[in-house]
Each structure stands twice: as C-alpha cells, then as structure tokens.
C-alpha cells in the first residue's frame, strides 16, 4: 500500500554534520533528527524537505521496525515514490538510513520524540561533533 502526502509539513528538527574531516575520512553518522513522533508517515515529509539538495532524491528509507509506525511499503512525497523498509537489527535501533541512487547513503541518529530540549540538544551535538568515524558507502 502506498500513502500519498503533499502536505507542507512542519520544519524538521535536523542537524547535519560535515561530510568529511580535515584528514579526508568521512563520518559514520551524518547527522541527527528529532522527530515529533514515531509515525513515519507523518514525520518523513518534513525530514526529506529539510535535507540538502546535493543529497539527491531519497528513494528508500530504512528504519527500526519495532520503533516506527508505518503502513505499506512506500509513500508518495511531492510526487516521488519513497520505498519504506524495516529492520530489526539492534545496531539500527536509533538510526534512520536514507538512500539516494547515484548520490549515496546517509545515516541519521534518531533522537527520541520524548526527549527534552536539553537531551535533544546534547544528542544532536554529539552526533554531529567533529570526531572521525568510519562511514559506509552505498
């Protein structure tokens, strides 16, 4: 089942890190996102609208199946199909993976919607701090 959304969602609470470091290495976590709920149908349009254009069209999203509420295997957002996939891997519990063919893969830390402003700020700052981590490529 595909859900179509053409709403103008509220702005995403999103912080992105630099793509590479001074030594040329790339980070494993590309940023942090603080959704307002675990309803992916409601939250994803705002996240995608907040991403840089250089990331290209996100065509697939991978989330933790136990955390997120979603129906169907895809959504139309701004007339573009986005495939939704679930994983039960423990290492992906607090992340969302975004895939854009020809552009790459981006992993974002998901800050729990119930986090306080202070907790969210700390988690987002830690996720985007300048500490080199090995990053996987698509």
């Amino acid at each position: 089942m595909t859900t179509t959304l053409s709403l103008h969602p509220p702005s995403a609470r999103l912080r992105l890190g630099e793509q590479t470091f001074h030594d040329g290495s790339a980070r494993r976590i590309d940023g942090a996102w603080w959704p307002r709920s675990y309803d992916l149908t409601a939250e994803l349009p705002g996240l995608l609208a907040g991403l840089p254009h250089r990331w290209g069209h996100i065509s697939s999203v991978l989330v933790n199946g136990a955390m997120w509420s979603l129906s169907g295997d895809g959504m139309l957002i701004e007339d573009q199909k986005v495939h939704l996939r679930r994983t039960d891997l423990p290492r992906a519990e607090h992340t969302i993976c975004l895939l854009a063919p020809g552009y790459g893969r981006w992993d974002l830390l998901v800050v729990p919607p119930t986090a306080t402003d202070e907790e969210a700020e700390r988690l987002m700052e830690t996720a985007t701090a300048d500490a080199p981590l090995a990053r996987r490529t698509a």
Side-chain angles (χ1 to χ4, degrees):
M1 177 179 185
T2 300
T3 304
T4 302
L5 291 177
S6 59
L7 306 172
H8 293 288
S11 62
R13 299 183 290 185
L14 177 67
R15 182 177 299 167
L16 302 177
E18 294 295 322
Q19 292 300 312
T20 58
F21 297 95
H22 299 294
D23 65 0
S25 64
R27 67 174 61 249
R28 181 170 120 16
I29 295 293
D30 299 291
W33 174 46
W34 185 20
R36 289 168 175 78
S37 73
Y38 282 115
D39 180 351
L40 195 59
T41 303
E43 299 294 335
L44 191 57
L47 171 61
L48 297 184
L51 297 176
H53 291 302
R54 71 180 182 277
W55 284 22
H57 166 66
I58 303 298
S59 65
S60 295
V61 174
L62 179 68
V63 295
N64 180 278
M67 295 177 110
W68 290 94
S69 169
L70 59 101
S71 60
D73 62 353
M75 299 172 60
L76 283 176
I77 300 175
E78 299 294 325
D79 296 324
Q80 303 251 352
K81 174 80 173 188
V82 178
H83 297 279
L84 305 176
R85 294 189 169 82
R86 295 176 185 255
T87 183
D88 293 325
L89 296 174
R91 65 188 162 149
E93 185 175 11
H94 299 289
T95 61
I96 184 169
C97 176
L98 308 171
L99 301 170
Y103 290 87
R105 168 185 174 156
W106 294 272
D107 296 315
L108 302 177
L109 172 76
V110 175
V111 175
T114 57
T116 64
D117 289 348
E118 293 80 20
E119 291 169 328
E121 178 62 29
R122 182 182 53 78
L123 289 169
M124 294 175 91
E125 178 65 30
T126 300
T128 58
D130 288 340
L133 300 171
R135 180 172 180 260
R136 300 173 304 276
T137 58

